[in-house]
Amino acid sequence: MSDPTATTVQSPPAKPTWGETLRVYTEPATLRMLFLGFSAGLPLLLVLGTLSFRLREAGVDRTTIGFLSWVGLAYGLKWIWAPLVDRVRLPLLGRLLGQRRSWLLFAQLAVIGGLVGMALANPSQSLRPVVWFAVLVAFASATQDIALDAFRIESAGTERQGALAAAYQTGYRLAMIWAGAGVLWIAARSESATATVYEQGAWQTAYLAMAASMLVGVITVLVSREPRPRDADAERTERAVAAGRFQREGIHFTWPQALFFGSLLLLLATLVRAPMGGVGIGEVVAYAVMLGVAIAGMRFAWGEGKPWRVPVARGAAPAVAWVDGVVIQPFADFLRRYKWHAGLILALIAVYRISDVVMGIMANPFYVDMGFTKDEVAAVSKLFGVIMTLVGAFLGGVLALRIGVMRTLMLGAVLSAASNLLFAWLATRGHDLQGLIFVVSADNLSSGIASAAFVAYLSSLTNVQYSATQYALFSSLMLLLPKYLAGYSGSYVDKFGYENFFVSTALLGVPVLVLVWLATRNLTTRPQERPGVLADD
């Protein structure tokens, strides 16, 4: 007779076979991510890397190009309007397509309009129209990312997020081939035979072709199905209960909570002012330290001690409840789940891609200054290099399933920092096509591995109730500091040269290794299991 008090020891789940591991790439949710990833990846180079090549050819100086990279801060600030994308339904489109697809389509149409404007504007005559249309494209593209990240996270369970991330990265990198190699190839073929200087007509043709290419994403959105919607009645009931609670009890908060959101707003205001000048690195560091102190204080005072109370008027209670549910709770949920470990996680997210992002702004001006032609850059950097990134993304997805996300994250961090040293070596070689092939291959392979692992890591941190807002917070934080520092890359190159610049960007990756190691040792919360919820799967 068996002992009823005996403890049953459950064996760990068996690892998936290689066949099961690879079969996930043929599932509908994964294939959707391939095409939507293409739509997400297309605008990025057109407002950053490819645009810097175009501007340098038009005679714009490196310092100006560096500061114009602050257009990319839109990707780092998208968490501000992510709650709207997450919870607010667009009129008409929302009823026709649903929450996620309506925002995707709206953003894609705005990207198309901005690319058409960039095509028609001439930077050699006036830089301002190009910049404003680039800002439109960047903000619309960031909005598309918010909706698409939520769509992806809600499309499958946690165990498949690595594969979805790899498919997303594959589509993203294919778009980068087209927005990098494709646009240079089109521009080169559209130039007159005797062209020796910048030709606006050639770039106009190329950017109009890119605007038309966004139809891939538009068609995918129209033929896809919406993830199963939230229970709207339950949400309304929840907000009504919250409104009544705020009216009776007012708003309660502790000093770390007040310091956290206050320093977050100050840091945001500082980075928004960055493109207008007058913002020093000391100011950014000061607010970041305040943010860290607030997170550290969560360990001791989140919900402990006597909180402050602010009364709420009867008429304002519903609005306060809405702001609390849509804006405050996604951030509060993350801090409640991870407490003081949230500081370590946020620090890792903030710097993980710093080597790649800071170096990438000067890559295209570097190619121009080294004498590489459009065709050479298109073939090596924008075509062959991106193919190597696809290989890296695939390897990253497979490695995340086989050896775990954190180990793959460490591998990607090591390779990303080391590959920047190869650019420093290339800077001593001048116009060396074989050297360019070798350096670009190594850099893009490491970038693909790091990207796939990092997207899977970010996805594992989210709560499915706040998927769009929390993922937007994480992916925005990933870009804020790197994009801010990248704005000074042009002036750094002008003062110290390309070789010193690339060595410096490699050294920026050293703290990342320490943070990955610490994050691995301090994992205290298991990622949530998320069943797939697409209506057509």
Side-chain angles (χ1 to χ4, degrees):
M1 185 174 180
S2 62
D3 183 0
T5 63
T7 302
T8 302
V9 179
Q10 295 183 347
S11 59
K15 285 187 177 181
T17 65
W18 280 105
E20 293 171 338
T21 300
L22 298 177
R23 198 176 301 124
V24 70
Y25 287 97
T26 65
E27 294 177 352
T30 309
L31 295 176
R32 272 190 291 267
M33 284 303 108
L34 179 67
F35 296 109
L36 291 175
F38 181 91
S39 177
L42 192 72
L44 182 66
L45 283 181
L46 300 175
V47 297
L48 293 173
T50 301
L51 180 60
S52 67
F53 192 106
R54 179 185 180 186
L55 296 179
R56 187 60 178 158
E57 192 175 74
V60 180
D61 62 89
R62 285 188 295 256
T63 298
T64 300
I65 292 173
F67 288 130
L68 287 179
S69 71
W70 276 335
V71 167
L73 282 174
Y75 295 94
L77 301 174
K78 62 185 178 182
W79 58 272
I80 301 171
W81 65 95
L84 301 180
V85 179
D86 201 8
R87 297 300 179 97
V88 174
R89 182 179 291 270
L90 289 173
L92 187 59
L93 278 179
R95 291 196 299 271
L96 292 175
L97 301 176
Q99 182 78 10
R100 303 304 183 204
R101 292 196 302 148
S102 61
W103 277 102
L104 280 171
L105 183 61
F106 174 77
Q108 289 165 351
L109 295 177
V111 168
I112 291 173
L115 290 177
V116 170
M118 291 181 70
L120 300 179
N122 188 344
S124 64
Q125 295 179 354
S126 177
L127 194 56
R128 182 168 296 181
V130 177
V131 173
W132 281 115
F133 282 117
V135 169
L136 171 61
V137 172
F139 273 95
S141 175
T143 302
Q144 179 185 211
D145 289 348
I146 296 168
L148 181 51
D149 289 331
F151 190 95
R152 173 178 54 78
I153 291 170
E154 295 168 3
S155 295
T158 301
E159 74 284 351
R160 281 172 163 73
Q161 287 300 320
L164 293 188
Y168 171 86
Q169 287 293 323
T170 300
Y172 199 96
R173 299 299 176 174
L174 287 172
M176 294 183 75
I177 291 177
W178 186 231
V183 74
L184 293 177
W185 184 86
I186 294 171
R189 298 301 174 275
S190 302
E191 288 178 337
S192 61
T194 59
T196 57
V197 294
Y198 174 82
E199 283 197 6
Q200 167 63 14
W203 284 102
Q204 179 175 308
T205 301
Y207 265 73
L208 288 175
M210 296 302 107
S213 300
M214 282 295 296
L215 293 175
V216 171
V218 171
I219 293 171
T220 303
V221 169
L222 293 177
V223 301
S224 297
R225 287 198 176 188
E226 178 79 357
R228 290 187 185 130
R230 298 184 181 92
D231 188 336
D233 292 335
E235 287 189 356
R236 281 193 292 270
T237 301
E238 183 180 344
R239 285 198 297 269
V241 171
R245 185 179 71 252
F246 282 119
Q247 183 180 335
R248 293 190 308 272
E249 303 175 4
I251 301 173
H252 295 262
F253 56 90
T254 59
W255 71 263
Q257 295 169 345
L259 184 59
F260 174 82
F261 288 106
S263 57
L264 201 62
L265 290 175
L266 289 171
L267 184 61
L268 166 64
T270 301
L271 293 169
V272 168
R273 284 167 40 222
M276 296 177 281
V279 174
I281 189 68
E283 190 175 355
V284 174
V285 171
Y287 296 144
V289 169
M290 289 172 58
L291 200 61
V293 170
I295 294 172
M298 302 300 178
R299 183 179 187 182
F300 306 104
W302 180 276
E304 296 182 6
K306 186 175 181 180
W308 298 324
R309 179 184 181 276
V310 177
V312 176
R314 179 185 181 89
V320 171
W322 185 88
V323 171
D324 179 71
V326 173
V327 180
I328 303 298
Q329 287 307 314
F331 301 101
D333 168 79
F334 174 74
L335 295 171
R336 277 194 297 265
R337 284 190 291 128
Y338 292 98
K339 296 184 171 61
W340 71 278
H341 290 293
L344 175 61
I345 294 171
L346 294 177
L348 172 58
I349 294 172
V351 301
Y352 186 76
R353 301 308 307 275
I354 194 167
S355 294
D356 288 346
V357 173
V358 175
M359 185 277 289
I361 296 301
M362 283 294 110
N364 279 299
F366 171 70
Y367 300 147
V368 174
D369 292 340
M370 292 296 104
F372 294 107
T373 66
K374 288 190 186 73
D375 284 337
E376 289 173 336
V377 175
V380 178
S381 177
K382 308 304 182 183
L383 178 58
F384 180 72
V386 177
I387 291 174
M388 294 302 294
T389 307
L390 298 180
V391 175
F394 177 80
L395 288 176
V398 171
L399 288 172
L401 285 172
R402 301 296 299 181
I403 67 174
V405 171
M406 298 308 294
R407 290 176 179 171
T408 310
L409 207 64
M410 176 64 83
L411 176 63
V414 172
L415 294 177
S416 294
S419 63
N420 283 14
L421 296 175
L422 297 178
F423 277 93
W425 168 79
L426 185 61
T428 66
R429 307 279 297 177
H431 186 273
D432 182 353
L433 189 58
Q434 296 299 319
L436 180 66
I437 294 172
F438 170 70
V439 171
V440 167
S441 298
D443 181 64
N444 284 269
L445 182 68
S446 62
S447 177
I449 293 173
S451 296
F454 196 50
V455 170
Y457 176 66
L458 296 186
S459 300
S460 72
L461 297 174
T462 63
N463 182 335
V464 71
Q465 289 183 295
Y466 310 109
S467 54
T469 303
Q470 288 187 347
Y471 193 90
L473 168 66
F474 301 148
S475 56
S476 297
L477 185 63
M478 173 186 71
L479 293 173
L480 272 177
L481 181 60
K483 289 293 183 187
Y484 174 75
L485 292 179
Y488 298 99
S489 59
S491 56
Y492 189 98
V493 171
D494 285 340
K495 187 173 183 180
F496 299 105
Y498 281 114
E499 185 177 355
N500 288 328
F501 170 72
F502 292 132
V503 171
S504 299
T505 59
L507 294 176
L508 287 174
V510 174
V512 178
L513 306 180
V514 178
L515 288 171
V516 174
W517 178 74
L518 290 173
T520 303
R521 290 177 58 87
N522 289 278
L523 285 175
T524 57
T525 304
R526 291 178 59 85
Q528 289 192 336
E529 293 295 326
R530 287 186 291 268
V533 293
L534 275 176
D536 60 342
D537 287 352

